[in-house]
Amino acid sequence: MPTAVTSEYTKKHTQLMAIIRARGAQAVLLSTPASLAWLLDGARTHVSLAAPPVARVLVHAEGCELATSISEAQRLQDEELNDQSPVNLHVTKWYESLDEVSAWFPEAADWEILAESEIDPELRAMRTALTAAEVDRYRQLCQDTASVMTEVLSATSSDDTEFEVAAKLAAGAMALGGEVLVALVSGSTRGEYRHPLPTKAPLGRRAMAVLCVRRHGLIANLTRWVRFEPPTEQEIAGENDILGVEADIISGIAEDRALGELLPFIQQAYPAHGFDELEWTRHHQGGIAGFNGRDPRLAPGATDRFQANQAFAFNPSAQRNGQTFKVEDTMLLTESGAIEVLSVDPHWPTTVVNGLPRPQVLQR
């Protein structure tokens, strides 16, 4: 394992041990894709995206033990870990439970082992404070994902189906080494759906695409719109107004502010820009990002606090005059307190709102 990676692992191990000791335990069992990728330098620990990870990691004072089945061990060792990895590998039979720690690591039989769920807030705080290397990887992933959006939507026509567009988006993301977690497309006949799984419907005059892509454990989130006919005045007004809503939300982000403290900004933003005051209740508004799509989502009372080098993605959406409006990008709260939009493609049309490049509708 390269020196920089080893250094990151050592820091993360130290952070975890501080939590374990504070709880009076001897170890914690990491079992989710987000925490495993965070600790293991972006390692892929899945086979099916719809199934639990194929590995578990036990973190204790002397190091880390990774358990996986015989069918996965060699691949993980060769391609996801490293010959110099500080993690000790334990191979189980394919039918044995990875959660039965004492079966594959008898030394822990009498230990008090914490589950991830017992230290969720502390884990999220560590996981979302990105290292310099993680920020670099995230920035590149977001730019690559935005570029895929530009390439695909720039070549679409109003006759293309939602399925066809989603397939091209997924292919583009996978060609760049990404795993597609969400690919939504809505044409002009399905704009009322906030989460439009693609269908055989054609795009029509105006369409939305949403793409969430994971690479090295980090997840890029963005939404883009394309239009094939001249815009109406109502469309232009709505597209500008949703950017205003987003700008009001972003204005409330500050280091050490609790995520839930943004809720009043959101509640006030919709009516301030001409949308129904209850729009915030009709779709989740986003939240902190990183190794989960939202880590966590903003919800009333959310106590997670913004930190330097932490990513976020807010996705305000609203309906007005029979039209839907939505905006979404992955951004970073930098050490200086400034906001950086990570998912920017210079070939996509943008406008500047409060100093940030924000996507416009691609007019075909």
Side-chain angles (χ1 to χ4, degrees):
M1 181 173 285
T3 302
V5 174
T6 304
S7 176
E8 285 191 16
Y9 162 82
T10 301
K11 178 182 177 181
K12 292 172 181 179
H13 179 268
T14 300
Q15 291 175 318
L16 285 168
M17 284 309 306
I19 296 172
I20 292 167
R21 292 189 176 108
R23 295 295 184 97
Q26 284 73 52
V28 63
L29 186 66
L30 301 184
S31 58
T32 66
S35 291
L36 291 169
W38 167 74
L39 182 66
L40 300 175
D41 194 40
R44 297 174 296 177
T45 58
H46 71 279
V47 173
S48 168
L49 290 172
V54 297
R56 302 289 187 275
V57 170
L58 184 74
V59 181
H60 59 94
E62 300 303 317
C64 293
E65 318 296 327
L66 185 150
T68 191
S69 72
I70 190 170
S71 57
E72 310 303 330
Q74 194 63 55
R75 177 183 61 83
L76 288 176
Q77 182 69 62
D78 292 346
E79 299 179 350
E80 303 300 331
L81 300 175
N82 189 283
D83 289 340
Q84 302 176 45
S85 173
V87 177
N88 301 313
L89 185 64
H90 300 261
V91 181
T92 71
K93 296 181 175 63
W94 62 264
Y95 52 83
E96 293 179 323
S97 171
L98 298 176
D99 295 317
E100 294 294 332
V101 175
S102 60
W104 51 265
F105 190 60
E107 294 91 328
D110 297 327
W111 291 1
E112 180 179 346
I113 300 174
L114 300 172
E116 275 200 41
S117 58
E118 296 180 78
I119 59 171
D120 266 347
E122 297 98 324
L123 263 177
R124 284 199 303 269
M126 291 188 297
R127 201 165 54 214
T128 58
L130 302 175
T131 67
E134 289 167 345
V135 169
D136 287 343
R137 289 199 293 264
Y138 210 0
R139 183 180 291 114
Q140 189 62 60
L141 166 64
C142 289
Q143 291 173 355
D144 287 347
T145 305
S147 177
V148 167
M149 275 284 206
T150 301
E151 181 178 350
V152 171
L153 295 185
S154 295
T156 58
S157 74
S158 60
D159 294 329
D160 288 339
T161 69
E162 296 167 348
F163 276 141
E164 289 170 335
V165 174
K168 292 174 183 177
L169 290 172
M174 292 187 70
L176 295 169
E179 298 152 6
V180 179
L181 304 186
V182 177
L184 306 177
V185 182
S186 63
S188 56
T189 63
R190 300 179 63 245
E192 72 271 25
Y193 302 122
R194 305 292 172 124
H195 288 148
L197 297 177
T199 71
K200 62 182 180 181
L203 297 187
R205 69 177 307 276
R206 180 173 178 263
M208 178 185 76
V210 179
L211 196 55
C212 301
V213 178
R214 182 170 66 190
R215 190 173 68 193
H216 301 304
L218 295 160
I219 301 172
N221 311 274
L222 68 155
T223 296
R224 295 291 185 265
W225 291 83
V226 60
R227 183 167 38 228
F228 302 95
E229 297 179 8
T232 67
E233 291 184 5
Q234 291 179 335
E235 286 174 348
I236 293 174
E239 290 155 6
N240 290 332
D241 287 340
I242 202 67
L243 292 178
V245 172
E246 183 197 49
D248 287 357
I249 296 171
I250 294 172
S251 72
I253 294 173
E255 189 172 350
D256 203 41
R257 171 167 280 167
L259 182 60
E261 292 177 13
L262 280 189
L263 190 56
F265 289 83
I266 295 173
Q267 291 170 324
Q268 295 164 18
Y270 283 101
H273 293 277
F275 295 114
D276 188 276
E277 63 181 6
L278 294 179
E279 281 293 355
W280 75 273
T281 70
R282 295 171 180 146
H283 181 245
H284 85 82
Q285 300 298 297
I288 297 169
F291 287 94
N292 276 317
R294 301 296 190 275
D295 205 12
R297 286 182 182 178
L298 181 148
T303 58
D304 296 71
R305 295 190 175 276
F306 287 103
Q307 308 175 69
N309 283 338
Q310 185 181 66
F312 59 89
F314 287 93
N315 53 304
S317 66
Q319 294 179 347
R320 191 171 67 192
N321 299 321
Q323 295 284 341
T324 296
F325 306 97
K326 181 176 183 286
V327 62
E328 178 186 24
D329 269 300
T330 305
M331 305 185 185
L332 183 77
L333 177 59
T334 66
E335 291 183 343
S336 69
I339 304 297
E340 177 187 352
V341 183
L342 299 179
S343 48
V344 169
D345 176 39
H347 301 293
W348 188 272
T350 60
T351 185
V352 176
V353 180
N354 288 358
L356 298 179
R358 305 308 304 123
Q360 294 187 305
V361 174
L362 178 64
Q363 191 70 47
R364 296 293 311 281

